[in-house]
Amino acid sequence: MTENCKIILKPGKEDSFRRFHPWVFSGAIQRIQGEPAEGDIITVEDWQGNFIGIAHYQIGSIAARILSFTPVEIDTDFYRQRLLAAYRMRQSLGLENGNRNNTYRLVHGEGDNLPGLIIDIYGKTAVMQAHSPGMHFARHSLAEALKQVMGDAIESIYYKSETTLPYKADLDHENGYLLGKSSDDTAIENGLKFHVDWLHGQKTGFFIDQRENRALLERYSHGRAVLNMFCYTGGFSFYAMRGGARLVHSVDSSAKAIDLTCRNVELNFPGDTRHKAFAEDAFKYLDTMGDDYDLIILDPPAFAKHRRVLNNALQGYRKLNAKAFEKIRPGGILFTFSCSQVVSKENFRLAVFTAAQQSGRNVRILHQLVQPADHPINIYHPEGEYLKGLVLYVE
Ligand code: SAH
């Protein structure tokens, strides 16, 4: 093994690693042997010198992310094996389905035992995103391993980490192709087409994690007046249209998102006059809109990225949902989500409960929604559970 630097844990801090939790918090470290740089491979040991794992080192409150709990070389072959395991799992889910679906998440960080790495597949293009300096430095090795695993199933690999790496680390993180160059920017989800802006879009260009929830929404759309709030690329909007919605209004504060939504609706339903889009702030729109909608989707960005702002986030969810409860038509359906990892399912439900109570409406929970199987949760890393949603019937 090439690594020389070591993290030695404080006595008692080895317990979480016996349960295979992959994060080494800086507070658990007794001392560091050697002078590791941001992104280096490092060995983790307990205070008695027993091996714990091999990790990527980084400066911050998560000081290392364990890649393996057995002593192995971290090289292209290591990444190839992990990527192969992730690919086999996705194949067993039957997500790749010819002309019907070519969009899915191949690697979901800790959920695929590759902490700090995201890879999304859009047809023949893989979009790779590093959330740790270690994965950033491994990008060429990862691209080579990915091509070995997927063969002709992919032609291009786009690397997009400008906004996801710690800003303090001087990493020279440029976005760009690591393999090929995609000529086609359209992908297909459940038979619906959409443009993916992996160059400039949020995340890897599309929110793949809502695929199954959009399919559920389609079932409820027939004859309804739909408001898709925080629409981004309009995913929920074009599903609602296919489901037979009477009208669909998409709202997002970003003009770019509205433009993308309109292009995507046009791609699937050219010239369809049922759809209208508005570039406006959510709270303002909800305040001034009428009370004609009978299907509302609230899928806001993460209101809390850190635990210390949890209370503000819960207030935000409460206020947002209260406005929807106030305006939705009797017999209406509300799809409401939180993608904040620090907001638990219970806390989110409590915020929505409080909003319902304020409105005095009769509200029943029809479905409790989660992230789909291609965004798996490592059982030893419960922090990987982030998306939660409720489908509510409002009398
Ligand atoms: N529902 C989308 C994903 C939503 S992402 C999908 O299925 O793909 C969150 C979106 O909220 C972003 O597009 C962002 O531009 C928008 N947004 C953030 N703050 C907002 C606000 N105050 N009002 C309206 N939209 C907002």
Side-chain angles (χ1 to χ4, degrees):
M1 283 190 291
T2 51
E3 56 280 349
N4 299 315
C5 297
K6 275 184 191 169
I7 285 176
I8 292 116
L9 300 173
K10 289 177 184 163
K13 292 294 182 189
E14 64 279 5
D15 288 358
S16 69
F17 304 103
R18 303 283 173 236
R19 296 189 298 271
F20 306 114
H21 193 280
W23 291 348
V24 181
F25 289 101
S26 56
I29 298 174
Q30 184 168 64
R31 66 188 169 88
I32 295 178
Q33 195 176 299
E35 286 180 11
E38 198 69 272
D40 276 357
I41 302 281
I42 193 165
T43 303
V44 182
E45 289 182 355
D46 72 9
W47 63 288
Q48 291 174 309
N50 297 310
F51 177 86
I52 298 271
I54 304 278
H56 274 148
Y57 176 72
Q58 78 183 82
I59 296 160
S61 86
I62 300 174
R65 295 164 190 246
I66 296 192
L67 298 161
S68 173
F69 287 94
T70 51
V72 288
E73 188 87 39
I74 306 298
D75 53 12
T76 304
D77 195 53
F78 170 83
Y79 289 125
R80 189 185 57 76
Q81 287 176 38
R82 290 280 160 100
L83 291 171
L84 184 62
Y87 189 42
R88 289 214 172 116
M89 196 274 255
R90 301 314 185 275
Q91 285 177 312
S92 76
L93 298 175
L95 290 170
E96 230 175 348
N97 185 1
N99 290 333
R100 187 142 180 93
N101 197 73
N102 64 16
T103 302
Y104 62 94
R105 177 154 290 191
L106 173 70
V107 174
H108 187 58
E110 283 78 355
D112 284 293
N113 299 309
L114 286 164
L117 182 70
I118 297 293
I119 302 177
D120 286 340
I121 304 294
Y122 299 107
K124 296 259 178 193
T125 303
V127 182
M128 190 194 288
Q129 205 158 54
H131 289 254
S132 69
M135 286 301 182
H136 171 69
F137 291 130
R139 65 195 183 281
H140 296 290
S141 198
L142 283 161
E144 191 187 330
L146 182 60
K147 183 65 184 158
Q148 284 172 15
V149 166
M150 295 196 65
D152 293 341
I154 53 162
E155 287 168 358
S156 315
I157 302 174
Y158 187 72
Y159 181 68
K160 182 175 195 287
S161 297
E162 240 165 34
T163 56
T164 54
L165 286 163
Y167 68 96
K168 280 189 215 136
D170 186 13
L171 297 172
D172 180 26
H173 33 66
E174 258 175 33
N175 291 345
Y177 283 97
L178 298 174
L179 174 79
K181 189 173 191 311
S182 312
S183 51
D184 185 7
D185 78 338
T186 55
I188 307 170
E189 183 184 90
N190 286 326
L192 290 160
K193 285 179 270 178
F194 56 93
H195 295 284
V196 201
D197 186 2
W198 44 75
L199 270 60
H200 307 111
Q202 298 178 46
K203 300 237 179 161
T204 64
F206 194 69
F207 284 70
I208 302 176
D209 55 2
Q210 291 286 25
R211 180 184 54 244
E212 287 170 17
N213 302 332
R214 291 184 189 117
L216 180 67
L217 173 102
E218 181 175 355
R219 284 171 31 201
Y220 282 103
S221 300
H222 191 80
R224 291 191 186 263
V226 178
L227 170 63
N228 181 10
M229 183 54 79
F230 307 97
C231 64
Y232 185 36
T233 55
F236 283 105
S237 302
F238 45 83
Y239 275 74
M241 292 178 78
R242 189 169 67 179
R246 186 157 54 79
L247 65 86
V248 178
H249 290 169
S250 306
V251 180
D252 199 290
S253 56
S254 146
K256 253 194 198 158
I258 291 301
D259 182 49
L260 266 169
T261 294
C262 293
R263 284 175 64 211
N264 286 336
V265 168
E266 191 60 25
L267 194 61
N268 293 286
F269 303 97
D272 197 319
T273 54
R274 287 177 300 157
H275 182 254
K276 282 202 178 74
F278 306 94
E280 245 190 78
D281 173 73
F283 287 90
K284 214 165 130 200
Y285 188 91
L286 289 163
D287 270 342
T288 53
M289 72 183 197
D291 49 12
D292 296 334
Y293 296 113
D294 52 8
L295 179 45
I296 297 180
I297 302 123
L298 299 176
D299 184 22
F303 281 169
K305 294 222 160 105
H306 298 285
R307 204 160 284 282
R308 60 180 181 276
V309 291
L310 180 62
N311 276 337
N312 287 349
L314 293 174
Q315 290 293 337
Y317 289 118
R318 183 186 54 73
K319 279 190 195 150
L320 184 67
N321 283 277
K323 286 189 193 292
F325 284 129
E326 203 182 293
K327 297 276 178 86
I328 197 165
R329 271 176 74 165
I333 308 262
L334 176 62
F335 276 65
T336 184
F337 295 95
S338 163
C339 62
S340 305
Q341 182 247 311
V342 296
V343 173
S344 67
K345 194 167 86 183
E346 292 73 25
N347 273 337
F348 177 60
R349 186 157 153 181
L350 185 61
V352 177
F353 161 91
T354 314
Q357 181 204 11
Q358 269 178 2
S359 72
R361 311 268 309 251
N362 232 328
V363 177
R364 272 172 275 178
I365 299 176
L366 305 185
H367 303 269
Q368 304 189 49
L369 307 179
V370 291
Q371 65 214 59
D374 53 340
H375 294 58
I377 303 156
N378 178 342
I379 200 161
Y380 305 115
H381 179 256
E383 294 90 336
E385 186 173 349
Y386 69 101
L387 183 65
K388 53 245 147 222
L390 294 168
V391 181
L392 306 167
Y393 182 83
V394 188
E395 273 180 36

